Amino acid sequence: MRRTSLVLTVAAILTVFAAGDRVAAFSRIDPGEGRSDSREGIIAVPLPPLPSPHGTAPAAVPEPSSQEEEGTDAGEEPLPPAHGPNDALVPSRQGDPTDDNGIAPTPLREGAATAEPLAAEIAYGDDALPRPVRDLRAKLMEIARSGEIERLRPYIETGDDGTVLTFGPTIDDPIEFLKASSGDGEGVETLAIMLEILEAGHARVEPNASNEIFVWPYFTQVHLEDLTPPQKVELFELVTAGDYQGMLDFGGYNFYRLGISPDGRLAFFVAGD
């Protein structure tokens, strides 16, 4: 019993000392150890600025402004541009805005997309044609398809105000002249040219004027350098690309043309200009 009590007493004393050591160990831990000035996942937001000393308000930050026009002083309005963004001008020499006479360059002519008629209305087919013009066109196309050039004789007027077939000397027999002008010598090629021309678009020249006339093809009344690709296809149905280049050098259409007056008279069927 006495040994057992001694043993229990010693165990109790050791337990007390062990507890004391643990308390002392905890007391030696630095309270700031393992801490940081910020926490993970929290964004630091800066505090508003402190009031300026002496109670003065902080200087205001100027708002961003658009850049001032170069070459103008404060309060002055810049001069407007001399020409708008879409004004294309004919270039003058060395950028000089005027010519020798002090005349400013004129705007480029509009209408590059389609060739503009000089003084005419352009159309296709015969819907817009007066009845006499429509009837004669149909008759001439019928004769051209027949290949019989002699059938043209009743529609070719002679005399000073007759049908113009040439810009040269007066001819004795119009049908013989047309045969001689044809590559085959019989007038068939001439008829083919007439048919192709009458199937093309036409121009109503000087509408409602005393000298009004309907002209085939309409290429006689446009600036050839302004033709669009589809219009060039129409022209190349009548002439070759080489002929077209020659026309550009000449300054206008100079192949065959045919004119019918509003009263249905064949005014001319002639090559040249």
Side-chain angles (χ1 to χ4, degrees):
M1 283 296 292
R2 195 176 286 176
R3 180 179 294 179
T4 301
S5 298
L6 179 60
V7 171
L8 293 175
T9 299
V10 173
I13 293 172
L14 293 176
T15 301
V16 172
F17 285 155
D21 291 339
R22 286 196 298 272
V23 173
F26 281 121
S27 66
R28 289 193 297 269
I29 297 177
D30 186 1
E33 185 178 355
R35 296 183 182 178
S36 63
D37 293 334
S38 61
R39 296 181 182 178
E40 184 178 357
I42 299 178
I43 302 175
V45 179
L47 294 175
L50 295 175
S52 300
H54 309 296
T56 57
V61 179
E63 299 235 6
S65 60
S66 58
Q67 187 177 1
E68 294 184 1
E69 294 288 341
E70 182 179 358
T72 60
D73 296 332
E76 292 184 352
E77 295 184 0
L79 293 175
H83 307 285
N86 297 325
D87 292 341
L89 298 180
V90 178
S92 57
R93 51 176 204 285
Q94 303 299 326
D96 186 0
T98 60
D99 60 13
D100 294 335
N101 298 322
I103 301 176
T106 56
L108 292 174
R109 184 170 55 84
E110 297 179 356
T114 57
E116 294 181 350
L118 300 178
E121 300 172 358
I122 294 175
Y124 294 83
D126 57 6
D127 292 341
L129 297 175
R131 181 63 179 269
V133 178
R134 182 167 66 248
D135 290 347
L136 181 58
R137 173 179 179 263
K139 190 63 177 180
L140 294 177
M141 292 176 70
E142 175 191 342
I143 294 173
R145 290 190 179 100
S146 72
E148 299 176 9
I149 197 167
E150 185 63 35
R151 294 178 58 186
L152 282 179
R153 190 178 292 277
Y155 302 97
I156 299 177
E157 299 179 3
T158 58
D160 294 339
D161 295 328
T163 302
V164 178
L165 299 178
T166 178
F167 293 119
T170 304
I171 57 178
D172 296 330
D173 189 319
I175 299 301
E176 292 300 321
F177 172 80
L178 292 177
K179 287 182 178 180
S181 302
S182 184
D184 62 301
E186 297 295 328
V188 175
E189 181 188 49
T190 302
L191 291 176
I193 293 172
M194 177 179 287
L195 180 61
E196 288 181 335
I197 288 175
L198 289 172
E199 288 176 340
H202 64 272
R204 183 186 178 191
V205 182
E206 300 293 342
N208 301 318
S210 58
N211 57 342
E212 176 182 3
I213 193 166
F214 295 83
V215 180
W216 285 261
Y218 72 86
F219 301 111
T220 62
Q221 303 300 313
V222 299
H223 298 278
L224 295 183
E225 65 272 14
D226 291 339
L227 294 181
T228 64
Q231 289 177 315
K232 287 183 181 179
V233 171
E234 294 177 4
L235 177 61
F236 289 177
E237 290 178 340
L238 303 177
V239 301
T240 66
D243 295 331
Y244 169 65
Q245 186 59 52
M247 291 177 186
L248 292 178
D249 297 337
F250 174 75
Y253 177 89
N254 57 9
F255 192 52
Y256 274 93
R257 67 196 64 199
L258 187 148
I260 301 177
S261 64
D263 58 357
R265 183 178 68 89
L266 180 59
F268 55 81
F269 175 53
V270 63
D273 187 14

